[in-house]
Amino acid sequence: MRQIIIIGSGPAGFTAAIYAARANLKPLLIASSVEAGGELMNTTEVENYPGFPDGVQGPELMAKMQEQAERFGTEVVYDDVTELELSGDTKTITLGSGEKHEALAVIFATGSAYRKLGLDDEERLSGRGVSWCATCDGFFFKEKTIAVIGGGDSAMEEATFLTRFASKVYVVHRKDTLRASKIMQERAFANPKIEFVWNSQVVGITGTDAVDGLVLRNTVSGVETSLPLGGIFVAIGNDPRTHLVHDKLDLTPEGTIAVAGRSSKTSQTGVFAAGDVIDPTYRQAVTAAASGTVAALDAEHYLASLPEELLASASEPALA
Ligand code: NDP
């Protein structure tokens, strides 16, 4: 049995691992089998992470965080958690491989997942012109006319990035003002390849084998129009990834895992949560990293409060 297992490999998970490993807790970090590294793996230049005055590529930042966590003894497993038993002193985590791991404390840092428009054709045409990741798929849209849906920082970042490949990028937004930060807005407004389509809700995605257009409904007049396109990128935000624990831990009305005050303590003793999965508001790499620190310190205090016999049973990082 372990002292601590961390689930999630974004900035929150790896920062928690750095702190836990430096506290000699020999953490096991479970990174997803397909999405290891979290959301920054889908980002290009990160310009607002302190310590990198010239910016840093998202995947490079994550590789550095992992290197730092491993340097102090974090063990990383690439697999998906399929089942969790969180009640009682010993927590059990089952992986896709069938392997079971036990620990006295668990930090849940599973981040958030791309939000979908919820249209039938979105799933059908996923990978056939519908994408959620410009850095992953932008290359396939060379010289095409495409649309980015959304009005936040993600939409501005994706639209600006996609102008490297596409001949034209529409930004389709349901309002007439953007939620994105001023600097990202200005960058998009100044880009001659980007055109804004305001007050427009996507009500349909068309195409037989591949996307050939969107059906838009004007939110003011109600009039529907078609927009011929070679692809669409959905950038309308994220939802916290809580499917593994929604019936095991208390959630907030926003759908994030509920924690006590400014701590990382969830409704289950010995279970802590950090990063986007508890944060409906800030959701920055640096706030996630800070939140990972809080979780590691809370877990460390919790472990220190446990009886000696229980701690002794967790001295070996062996399989359960
Ligand atoms: P946001 O929640 O900030 O924005 C989502 C956008 O999508 C909003 O404009 C929203 O519209 C729109 N939207 C939501 N649901 C729908 C829907 N069903 N149909 C149509 N439009 C919809 O998410 P982001 O992913 O943009 O950003 C999340 C966080 O990450 C933010 O804190 C952001 O600052 C940060 N971020 C920072 C970056 C950077 O600094 N480089 C890059 C990317 C993200 P409405 O405005 O009407 O609500």
Side-chain angles (χ1 to χ4, degrees), residues 39-40 43 45-48 112 114-118 149-158 172-181 183-184 187 200-202 234-238 276 279-285:
E39 215 170 313
L40 281 187
T43 311
E45 190 88 351
V46 179
E47 293 175 331
N48 50 14
S112 56
Y114 297 127
R115 194 173 290 153
K116 299 193 169 168
L117 290 163
I149 321 299
D153 280 335
S154 297
M156 296 313 108
E157 186 176 71
E158 303 249 305
V172 176
H173 183 38
R174 61 186 179 183
K175 292 192 182 134
D176 62 359
T177 51
L178 297 170
R179 183 190 287 254
S181 58
I183 187 167
M184 307 281 272
R187 219 171 269 171
S200 296
Q201 184 83 39
V202 179
V234 182
I236 59 171
N238 297 271
D276 281 10
D279 179 6
T281 314
Y282 303 107
R283 307 185 50 249
Q284 303 296 303

Side-chain angles (χ1 to χ4, degrees), residues 113-141:
Y114 297 127
R115 194 173 290 153
K116 299 193 169 168
L117 290 163
L119 300 167
D120 290 344
D121 293 320
E122 186 178 12
E123 286 302 323
R124 184 176 63 81
L125 294 169
S126 161
R128 295 158 180 256
V130 179
S131 171
W132 286 264
C133 176
T135 46
C136 317
D137 301 328
F139 188 77
F140 302 114
F141 294 84

Side-chain angles (χ1 to χ4, degrees), residues 1 14 68-69 106 120 126 128 148 153 155 175 229 236 278 288 294:
M1 180 161 65
F14 275 125
Q68 197 172 349
V106 170
D120 290 344
S126 161
R128 295 158 180 256
V148 173
D153 280 335
K175 292 192 182 134
L229 293 167
I236 59 171
I278 65 165
V294 170

Side-chain angles (χ1 to χ4, degrees), residues 210-223:
V211 169
D212 66 15
L214 285 179
V215 182
L216 303 177
R217 182 181 298 142
N218 189 288
T219 53
V220 181
S221 65
V223 172

